[in-house]
C-alpha cells in the first residue's frame, strides 16, 4: 500500500485501536492515554499516513491555504521574474507544511475587493499575502474587517495590524548612484515604476536624494513597471537633446527592454550608455551585457512572507521580518561614459 492511499482506518487496524481514537490523536484532541497516543502516532509514521488538507479543514476550521490576489495586467506578471521567484519561495514553504497557494488575478479595484470578500466568506484561505502596497491601501482595513490575516511586503503608510516583511533598498540605491558617479557619469536618468505603489515611489525618492547629494540634477521618467513602457521611456530619453549617459530602471525587465532599444539604435553598451536595474533577478546575468542591479532574492521574500503568515495563523504570533538590505551587484552593463 502506498503512503498516499493510507487512511485512518488503516492506522486504526494496524495500531489495534478504534477509528475514533485515531481521529482524536491525529487531531491532537484530549481523551487518549499517553501510551496509546504514542503507539498511534508511531503507527501513522510507519505507514506514511498524511492528512488530506480538506479533511483537516473540517476538524480544525482551517483551509490550509494562503491567498495571493494580484491586481496587475497578466502581461506584467508574465514578463516580471520577481513574481515567479516569489511564488516559488511561497510554495517551498507551503508544500513542506501541507498547505497550498490560491492565486487570483483581477483587473481592477472593484474585482479585487470582491475576490478578498469571496475567499474570506467561503473560508478558502487562512490569510493573504499582500504585494504592491499602495499609498492609501484599502486592502488592509478590508482584510481586518473580514476577520482574516495578512502579511505585507513592505511597511504600509500609517501602520498596519498585520506583520510586514521588509528589505531596505536605500543603501543599495546610494551605492548604485555612487558607482555611476564614480565612473564619471553626470547625466543620470531614472525610469521609475508605478508611483501609486509604495516601492516605486520610495525607490524614486531615494534615487533623487542620492543624485542631488552628488551635486547633480536627476531626470525622472515615470512608467507602470512594464517592459513596453520601459522601452518607450528609453526611446524618449535617447531622442532628447541632453541624452543621459546612464539610465537606472525601476525593475530589471524594464532595464532589459531598454537595452534592446539601445542595441537597435546601434549604441555601444556600456561605452555609450550604462544601464542598471533595481531588483536583481537571475535573468539579468544572462543578457548582454550582463546587468548591473541590486540583489533582491524574490524567493527569499516569498519564503519569509509565507513563514510569517503561517506563524500568525497557527500560533497567533505577529512578527515583522527584516530581510538583509539589497546590495549592489556590479556586472558588465556599467562603465565610464565615452570620452573618459
Amino acid at each position: 500500500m502506498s503512503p498516499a492511499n493510507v487512511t485512518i482506518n488503516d492506522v486504526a487496524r494496524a495500531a489495534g485501536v478504534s477509528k475514533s481514537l485515531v481521529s482524536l490523536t491525529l487531531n491532537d484532541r484530549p481523551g487518549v492515554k499517553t501510551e496509546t497516543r504514542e503507539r498511534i502516532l508511531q503507527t501513522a509514521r510507519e505507514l506514511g499516513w498524511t492528512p488530506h488538507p480538506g479533511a483537516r479543514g473540517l476538524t480544525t476550521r482551517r483551509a490550509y491555504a494562503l491567498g495571493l490576489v494580484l491586481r496587475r495586467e497578466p502581461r506584467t506578471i508574465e514578463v516580471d521574474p520577481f513574481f515567479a521567484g516569489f511564488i516559488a519561495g511561497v510554495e517551498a514553504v507551503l508544500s513542506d507544511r501541507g498547505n497550498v497557494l490560491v492565486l487570483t488575478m483581477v483587473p481592477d479595484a472593484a474585482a479585487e475587493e470582491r475576490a478578498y470578500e469571496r475567499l474570506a466568506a467561503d473560508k478558502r484561505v487562512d490569510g493573504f499575502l499582500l504585494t504592491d502596497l499602495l499609498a492609501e491601501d484599502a486592502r488592509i482595513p478590508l482584510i481586518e474587517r473580514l476577520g482574516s490575516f495578512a502579511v505585507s511586503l513592505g511597511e504600509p503608510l500609517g501602520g498596519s495590524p498585520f506583520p510586514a516583511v521588509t528589505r531596505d533598498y536605500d543603501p543599495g540605491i546610494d551605492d548604485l548612484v555612487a558607482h555611476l558617479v564614480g565612473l564619471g557619469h553626470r547625466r543620470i536618468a531614472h525610469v521609475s515604476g508605478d508611483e501609486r505603489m509604495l516601492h516605486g515611489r520610495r525607490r524614486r525618492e531615494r534615487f533623487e536624494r542620492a543624485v542631488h547629494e552628488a551635486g547633480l540634477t536627476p531626470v525622472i521618467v515615470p512608467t507602470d513597471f512594464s517592459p513596453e513602457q520601459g522601452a518607450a521611456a528609453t526611446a524618449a530619453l535617447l531622442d532628447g537633446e541632453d541624452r543621459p549617459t546612464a539610465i537606472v530602471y525601476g525593475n530589471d525587465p524594464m532595464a532589459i527592454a531598454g537595452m534592446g532599444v539601445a542595441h537597435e539604435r546601434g549604441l555601444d553598451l556600456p561605452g555609450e550608455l550604462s544601464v542598471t536595474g533595481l531588483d536583481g533577478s537571475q535573468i539579468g546575468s544572462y543578457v548582454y551585457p550582463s546587468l548591473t542591479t541590486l540583489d533582491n532574492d524574490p524567493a527569499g521574500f516569498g519564503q519569509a512572507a509565507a513563514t510569517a503568515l503561517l506563524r500568525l495563523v497557527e500560533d497567533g504570533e505577529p512578527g515583522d521580518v527584516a530581510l538583509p538590505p539589497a546590495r549592489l551587484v556590479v556586472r558588465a552593463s556599467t562603465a565610464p561614459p565615452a570620452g573618459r
Side-chain angles (χ1 to χ4, degrees):
M1 180 183 299
S2 70
N5 296 324
V6 174
T7 67
I8 63 172
N9 286 327
D10 300 315
V11 176
R13 189 178 305 110
V17 297
S18 67
K19 177 182 174 181
S20 61
L21 279 178
V22 174
S23 179
L24 289 172
T25 299
L26 297 179
N27 286 295
D28 198 25
R29 300 292 180 82
V32 185
K33 293 181 179 179
T34 302
E35 58 270 21
T36 304
R37 182 184 299 274
E38 292 175 352
R39 184 169 79 253
I40 291 171
L41 292 174
Q42 179 62 31
T43 302
R45 285 192 292 267
E46 291 174 351
L47 293 177
W49 177 87
T50 56
H52 184 278
R56 285 188 298 170
L58 291 174
T59 57
T60 64
R61 298 182 182 275
R62 276 196 55 197
Y64 292 92
L66 302 183
L68 176 60
V69 180
L70 295 177
R71 178 167 37 121
R72 283 205 182 197
E73 291 291 332
R75 173 65 177 162
T76 306
I77 305 301
E78 178 184 346
V79 299
D80 191 341
F82 174 84
F83 284 100
F86 175 76
I87 291 172
V90 171
E91 286 287 4
V93 173
L94 297 189
S95 61
D96 189 52
R97 304 275 288 272
N99 286 246
V100 298
L101 178 67
V102 177
L103 173 63
T104 303
M105 299 285 294
V106 295
D108 52 44
E112 182 180 43
E113 181 175 352
R114 290 194 299 270
Y116 281 107
E117 291 175 339
R118 182 178 65 252
L119 290 171
D122 295 345
K123 302 189 184 301
R124 291 180 57 192
V125 300
D126 298 312
F128 297 95
L129 300 161
L130 299 182
T131 66
D132 296 338
L133 284 181
L134 305 178
E136 295 183 4
D137 206 309
R139 294 173 298 174
I140 293 171
L142 171 63
I143 294 171
E144 188 176 18
R145 176 172 61 80
L146 294 173
S148 189
F149 297 102
V151 165
S152 64
L153 269 62
E155 187 70 41
L157 292 178
S160 168
F162 306 120
V165 179
T166 59
R167 187 188 302 282
D168 188 359
Y169 289 86
D170 289 356
I173 293 173
D174 291 347
D175 289 344
L176 175 57
V177 171
H179 167 67
L180 293 173
V181 172
L183 290 173
H185 292 279
R186 296 297 178 265
R187 298 191 304 278
I188 306 173
H190 178 41
V191 176
S192 66
D194 189 339
E195 295 202 7
R196 294 174 302 174
M197 301 178 188
L198 284 182
H199 67 287
R201 178 195 298 184
R202 286 168 172 166
R203 293 179 190 182
R204 187 265 301 163
E205 290 174 344
R206 190 67 185 195
F207 170 84
E208 286 184 319
R209 175 178 174 179
V211 172
H212 279 305
E213 289 179 349
L216 305 175
T217 301
V219 176
I220 308 295
V221 182
T223 72
D224 65 355
F225 276 124
S226 70
E228 292 83 0
Q229 290 202 13
T234 305
L237 287 168
L238 296 181
D239 290 340
E241 293 183 359
D242 195 17
R243 193 178 78 189
T245 61
I247 303 177
V248 176
Y249 292 83
N251 64 17
D252 286 13
M254 288 201 299
I256 294 171
M259 292 169 72
V261 172
H263 281 309
E264 287 179 349
R265 296 184 178 219
L267 292 181
D268 172 57
L269 302 182
E272 295 179 282
L273 180 68
S274 287
V275 171
T276 83
L278 277 182
D279 61 353
S281 57
Q282 193 68 16
I283 193 65
S285 62
Y286 297 114
V287 300
Y288 179 79
S290 57
L291 184 63
T292 294
T293 188
L294 300 186
D295 183 23
N296 196 29
D297 186 18
F301 245 127
Q303 291 173 347
T307 300
L309 185 50
L310 287 177
R311 186 180 299 120
L312 177 61
V313 169
E314 295 173 352
D315 305 320
E317 297 180 5
D320 292 339
V321 179
L323 298 175
R327 62 182 180 85
L328 175 63
V329 179
V330 177
R331 297 193 182 113
S333 67
T334 50
R340 292 279 297 187

